[in-house]
C-alpha cells in the first residue's frame, strides 16, 4: 500500500512539473519582451519590436553600426554590425576579452558561434555560447545597441 502511495506522489509531482515547464516555456517569449521593454526607452522599445518581426519585415538601414562597449567579468565586449540589403551580413569585433590566456581561448571559440547565430537569427535574440556566458551577455548588449541604431537610421 505504501508503495502505491509513493508511486502516486511521484507521478503527481512529474505531471505538475511537466505542466509548470510547459507554462514557463509558453509564456517565456511574452514575459521576456515585457521585462526587456520595461528597461528600455521608447526608441529602444521600437527597435526591440523590430527585432521580433519576421526577417522579411525588418527595417535595418544599410551601413555599419557600432554598439556600446559592454563591461563583462573578463573585459569589455564591443561589436559593430554590417547591414546590407536590410539584413545583418557581418559582425566585426572591436573589443573582446583577451586579458588572460583562458579568456583568449574562450573568446576565440565563441566569436564564430556568436557571429553565425546573429546572421542566422537577424536579431540580438541570439543563442549564448556555453562556457562563454559573460562574453555572450556582453556581445548581446553591444549587438542590441548597434541594431537599435540600424533600426532608427
Amino acid at each position: 500500500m505504501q508503495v502505491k502511495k509513493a508511486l502516486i506522489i511521484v507521478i503527481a509531482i512529474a505531471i505538475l512539473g511537466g505542466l509548470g515547464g510547459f507554462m514557463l516555456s509558453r509564456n517565456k517569449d511574452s514575459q521576456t519582451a515585457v521585462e526587456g521593454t520595461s528597461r528600455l526607452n521608447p526608441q529602444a522599445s521600437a527597435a526591440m519590436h523590430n527585432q521580433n518581426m519576421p526577417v522579411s519585415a525588418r527595417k535595418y538601414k544599410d551601413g555599419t553600426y557600432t554598439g556600446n562597449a559592454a563591461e563583462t567579468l573578463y573585459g569589455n565586449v564591443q561589436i559593430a554590425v554590417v547591414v546590407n540589403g536590410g539584413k545583418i551580413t557581418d559582425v566585426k569585433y572591436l573589443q573582446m576579452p583577451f586579458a588572460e590566456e583562458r579568456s583568449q581561448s574562450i573568446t576565440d571559440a565563441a566569436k564564430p558561434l556568436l557571429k553565425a547565430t546573429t546572421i542566422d537569427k537577424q536579431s540580438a535574440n541570439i543563442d549564448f555560447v556555453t562556457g562563454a556566458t559573460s562574453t555572450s551577455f556582453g556581445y548581446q548588449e553591444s549587438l542590441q545597441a548597434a541594431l537599435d541604431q540600424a533600426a532608427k537610421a
Side-chain angles (χ1 to χ4, degrees):
M1 188 60 116
Q2 293 220 0
V3 173
K4 285 184 181 181
K5 283 184 181 179
L7 184 58
I8 290 171
I9 291 171
V10 168
I11 290 171
I13 290 171
I15 290 171
L16 291 174
L19 286 174
F22 172 75
M23 294 304 290
L24 283 175
S25 67
R26 187 170 174 217
N27 293 324
K28 178 183 174 187
D29 291 340
S30 61
Q31 182 179 16
T32 301
V34 170
E35 289 172 357
T37 304
S38 67
R39 293 188 305 244
L40 300 173
N41 62 35
Q43 292 170 334
S45 294
M48 179 172 280
H49 172 71
N50 190 31
Q51 107 176 5
N52 292 325
M53 295 170 66
V55 172
S56 59
R58 281 200 198 106
K59 306 264 191 240
Y60 294 136
K61 184 169 170 133
D62 290 358
T64 301
Y65 302 92
T66 301
N68 300 332
E71 291 182 39
T72 72
L73 294 172
Y74 304 101
N76 288 344
V77 175
Q78 184 178 29
I79 59 98
V81 292
V82 178
V83 177
N84 192 2
K87 294 183 177 181
I88 302 166
T89 57
D90 195 13
V91 174
K92 298 181 184 289
Y93 296 95
L94 306 178
Q95 293 183 59
M96 292 296 280
F98 280 110
E100 301 171 10
E101 188 175 326
R102 179 158 162 68
S103 293
Q104 290 176 2
S105 64
I106 290 171
T107 296
D108 288 342
K111 284 168 50 173
L113 298 171
L114 292 168
K115 180 178 179 175
T117 193
T118 299
I119 292 171
D120 179 54
K121 295 200 176 192
Q122 291 293 302
S123 75
N125 186 19
I126 58 162
D127 298 327
F128 284 172
V129 177
T130 302
T133 305
S134 179
T135 298
S136 296
F137 272 115
Y139 176 91
Q140 183 183 44
E141 184 180 325
S142 186
L143 173 62
Q144 185 61 60
L147 292 178
D148 289 348
Q149 293 174 37
K152 288 191 296 187

